[in-house]
């Protein structure tokens, strides 16, 4: 029996079909001719690899989040991270890249027509801040950052948000929050860039924006039933979390070292600070748990390592390797304490996205203001630790602006979607699990041999488990 579909359900397909048909009328363009020999083969090769590494972070994030939720919500949580690759992958080509890196409109947003449907991207001259690689490669590298950012928000609203509502959130967040922040911070004419704000690989653009959106989403969607009843939810698969952490850590080398936009010494330095901060943060979180009377845990080390990666992101190409130990260790302790107090509150941020990514990103921006040095990167600045309080206060000012904008815009987006579409699943759907109710799929499939009264009996795997 074919179930009747509503116009609201058909709309996403019709929009995609319209975009696909419109794309047929965009003229093809030949590749940019490098007549002056500005391209560097090593830079191109490295950024292609870095682009692929950043993409790998998205399925890594899916494993990281999927392993921590209840087993009846594993698939629904993982697909929300991965589907961003589809939604943003199309949206970035159509208009996202233009909004972020198109001709600046007053330093706040790019002209949406500059690179509409990737017009003049393949045939265009290299980006001014990445002169040794093709513009198309720069656009693809930046696309991977745009893909993972809304995926980070999933952890805060997991186990209760409708899939279709999340898709719409991804579109609106990318257009109205991510693209403006990328323009402010990374476009030469962006107003934060002109102020001298330093964000090497996405402390503001990616992590603070996602963390603040996560906080907004948790407030709008309100608490899960299990959270109200104070029930402890066992992680579905801790090895998934470990796999996800490994993939994130591995991909983060592309995230940070790739942001040097070349195969050079700065990329090596960013690679080193990234690994060192993650290592220090993983140990710091785990050891701090022991100080508080807990046992060292796999989850603790994994979460701590990710917090370290978040905190070093804005600073990776501006601070020296020794200082990255301090950045990772301190960020992990601060986020650990933030998680502790969040758990005592009524805020239902399912997987602690705001305490880890939001606050971790804020700590990273502050640490950049403290420990940045022109000795590492002449294009950067000296921080407070090196006698420059003015730059430190510039970082703080930018931090306040980004937090206010990200939270307010994201809160309004969630409210708007909730007005036109129900964002929250029903209580019955929440009880059954989103895997079954949103996707008609199960994390565990097939049958098991169960011993009952001395006899072996084959039984179907249960969909839920308390």
């Amino acid at each position: 029996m074919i179930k009747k579909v509503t116009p609201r359900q058909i709309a996403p397909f019709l929009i995609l079909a319209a975009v696909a048909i419109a794309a047929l009328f965009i003229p093809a363009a030949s590749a940019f001719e490098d007549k002056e020999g500005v391209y560097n083969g090593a830079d191109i090769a490295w950024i292609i690899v870095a682009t692929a590494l950043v993409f790998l972070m998205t399925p890594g994030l899916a494993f990281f989040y999927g392993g921590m939720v209840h087993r009846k919500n594993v698939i629904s949580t993982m697909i929300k991270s991965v589907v961003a690759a589809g939604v943003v992958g199309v949206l970035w080509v159509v208009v996202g890249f233009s909004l972020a890196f198109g001709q600046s409109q007053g330093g706040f947003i790019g002209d949406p027509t500059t690179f509409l449907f990737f017009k003049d991207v393949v045939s265009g001259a290299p980006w001014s801040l990445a002169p040794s690689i093709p513009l198309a490669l720069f656009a693809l590298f930046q696309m991977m950052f745009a893909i993972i950012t809304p995926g980070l928000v999933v952890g805060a609203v997991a186990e209760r948000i409708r899939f279709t509502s999340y898709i719409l959130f991804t579109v609106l967040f990318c257009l109205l929050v991510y693209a403006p922040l990328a323009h402010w911070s990374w476009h030469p004419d962006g107003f934060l860039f002109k102020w001298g704000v330093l964000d090497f690989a996405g402390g503001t653009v990616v992590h603070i924006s996602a963390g603040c959106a996560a906080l907004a989403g948790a407030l709008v969607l309100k608490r899960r039933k299990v959270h109200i009843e104070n029930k402890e939810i066992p992680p579905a698969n801790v090895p998934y979390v470990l796999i996800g952490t490994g993939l994130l850590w591995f991909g983060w080398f592309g995230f940070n070292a790739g942001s040097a936009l070349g195969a050079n010494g700065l990329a090596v330095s960013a690679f080193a600070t990234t690994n060192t901060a993650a290592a220090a943060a993983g140990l710091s979180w785990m050891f701090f748990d022991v100080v508080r009377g807990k046992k060292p845990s796999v989850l603790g080390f994994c979460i701590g390592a990710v917090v370290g990666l978040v905190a070093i992101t804005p600073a990776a190409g501006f601070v020296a390797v020794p200082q990255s130990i301090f950045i990772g260790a301190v960020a992990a302790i601060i986020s650990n304490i933030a998680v502790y107090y969040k758990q005592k509150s009524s805020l239902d941020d399912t997987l602690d996205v705001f305490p880890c990514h939001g606050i971790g990103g804020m700590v990273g921006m502050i640490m950049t203001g403290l420990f940045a040095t022109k000795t590492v990167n002449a294009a950067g600045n000296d921080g407070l630790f090196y006698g420059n309080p003015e730059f430190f206060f510039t970082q703080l000012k930018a931090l306040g602006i980004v937090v206010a904008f990200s939270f307010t815009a994201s809160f309004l987006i969630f409210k708007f979607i909730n007005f036109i579409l129900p964002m929250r699943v029903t209580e019955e759907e929440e009880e059954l699990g989103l895997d079954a109710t949103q996707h008609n799929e199960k994390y565990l499939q097939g049958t098991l041999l169960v011993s009952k009264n001395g006899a072996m009996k084959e039984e179907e795997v249960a969909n839920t488990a308390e």
Side-chain angles (χ1 to χ4, degrees):
M1 180 179 177
I2 300 176
K3 184 179 178 181
K4 185 179 179 181
V5 295
T6 64
R8 185 181 292 174
Q9 292 171 308
I10 299 172
F13 177 79
L14 293 179
I15 293 171
L16 178 61
V19 170
I21 293 170
L24 294 175
F25 299 94
I26 305 300
S30 58
F32 173 75
E33 293 186 27
D34 183 24
K35 295 180 180 178
E36 299 180 6
V38 296
Y39 286 167
N40 182 292
D43 291 349
I44 293 172
W46 163 233
I47 302 304
I48 288 175
V49 171
T51 301
L53 286 171
V54 180
F55 178 81
L56 187 65
M57 293 173 68
T58 295
L61 181 68
F63 274 104
F64 184 73
Y65 281 168
M68 286 193 281
V69 295
H70 193 290
R71 79 175 198 181
K72 64 186 178 183
N73 296 309
V74 172
I75 293 172
S76 64
T77 300
M78 295 180 77
I79 186 57
K80 288 185 183 75
S81 291
V82 175
V83 78
V87 176
V88 181
V90 173
L91 192 63
W92 191 252
V93 169
V94 175
V95 72
F97 182 59
S98 287
L99 292 174
F101 294 97
Q103 184 175 351
S104 186
Q105 304 298 302
F108 290 96
I109 195 69
D111 184 341
T113 66
T114 304
F115 301 116
L116 189 68
F117 280 94
F118 256 31
K119 177 189 69 172
D120 298 330
V121 171
V122 173
S123 60
W127 185 248
S128 60
L129 301 179
S132 63
I133 64 173
L135 177 61
L137 179 55
F138 173 76
L140 293 172
F141 180 67
Q142 291 295 335
M143 179 175 70
M144 301 309 166
F145 287 69
I147 285 172
I148 197 171
T149 306
L152 295 171
V153 182
V154 171
V157 296
E159 304 192 323
R160 62 197 187 281
I161 189 171
R162 291 184 185 275
F163 183 70
T164 50
S165 298
Y166 169 73
I167 294 291
L168 181 55
F169 165 77
T170 300
V171 172
L172 295 179
F173 178 85
C174 186
L175 296 178
L176 302 178
V177 179
Y178 182 87
L181 286 175
H183 189 84
W184 300 356
S185 303
W186 292 336
H187 194 289
D189 293 325
F191 80 92
L192 291 183
F193 188 97
K194 285 187 171 181
W195 283 4
V197 174
L198 296 182
D199 181 3
F200 192 71
T204 55
V205 182
V206 177
H207 296 292
I208 293 177
S209 71
C212 291
L215 177 60
L219 291 172
V220 173
L221 283 166
K222 298 183 170 53
R223 303 167 70 184
R224 294 163 294 157
K225 184 180 178 182
V226 291
H227 191 267
I228 295 171
E229 296 172 352
N230 201 29
K231 288 184 179 179
E232 186 175 350
I233 303 299
N237 194 324
V238 174
Y240 270 18
V241 180
L242 198 57
I243 292 169
T245 303
L247 291 174
L248 284 169
W249 197 327
F250 181 62
W252 226 292
F253 294 133
F255 202 81
N256 287 356
S259 293
L261 297 173
N264 50 39
L266 182 59
V268 176
S269 179
F271 193 111
T273 56
T274 299
N275 190 72
T276 306
L283 294 175
S284 178
W285 188 294
M286 186 169 63
F287 294 160
F288 189 67
D289 276 350
V290 174
V291 170
R292 294 171 54 212
K294 297 183 178 181
K295 292 184 178 180
S297 70
V298 173
L299 283 178
F301 181 82
C302 290
I303 294 169
V306 170
V307 169
L309 291 165
V310 169
I312 198 62
T313 291
F318 301 117
V319 302
V321 176
Q323 282 72 52
S324 65
I325 299 174
F326 181 85
I327 292 172
V330 171
I333 294 171
I334 293 173
S335 287
N336 190 307
I337 294 171
V339 169
Y340 172 77
Y341 282 106
K342 188 232 73 172
Q343 290 173 343
K344 289 184 170 296
S345 73
S346 60
L347 177 66
D348 187 11
D349 179 345
T350 311
L351 302 180
D352 301 324
V353 179
F354 178 70
C356 294
H357 287 275
I359 292 180
M362 295 176 201
V363 170
M365 285 297 289
I366 293 170
M367 293 292 187
T368 306
L370 287 172
F371 300 118
T373 170
K374 290 184 179 180
T375 303
V376 171
N377 187 343
N381 211 332
D382 289 324
L384 182 63
F385 195 70
Y386 296 93
N388 187 1
E390 183 180 351
F391 168 64
F392 176 71
F393 288 116
T394 297
Q395 291 290 101
L396 291 181
K397 185 165 59 173
L399 175 63
I401 291 171
V402 171
V403 167
F405 171 76
S406 299
F407 176 79
T408 304
S410 298
F411 187 85
L412 292 174
I413 289 171
F414 275 112
K415 280 290 190 181
F416 170 74
I417 297 172
N418 205 33
F419 178 74
I420 63 173
L421 289 172
M423 292 202 75
R424 181 78 182 258
V425 298
T426 65
E427 189 172 318
E428 181 183 6
E429 290 172 329
E430 185 179 335
E431 185 71 27
L432 291 171
L434 274 62
D435 290 0
T437 60
Q438 296 290 296
H439 306 286
N440 196 29
E441 292 173 320
K442 298 177 182 178
Y443 165 56
L444 295 177
Q445 303 280 358
T447 59
L448 291 173
L449 287 176
V450 180
S451 176
K452 287 189 175 181
N453 299 323
M456 300 298 292
K457 184 180 179 182
E458 190 174 24
E459 291 187 0
E460 185 177 353
V461 176
N463 187 48
T464 63
E466 298 300 336

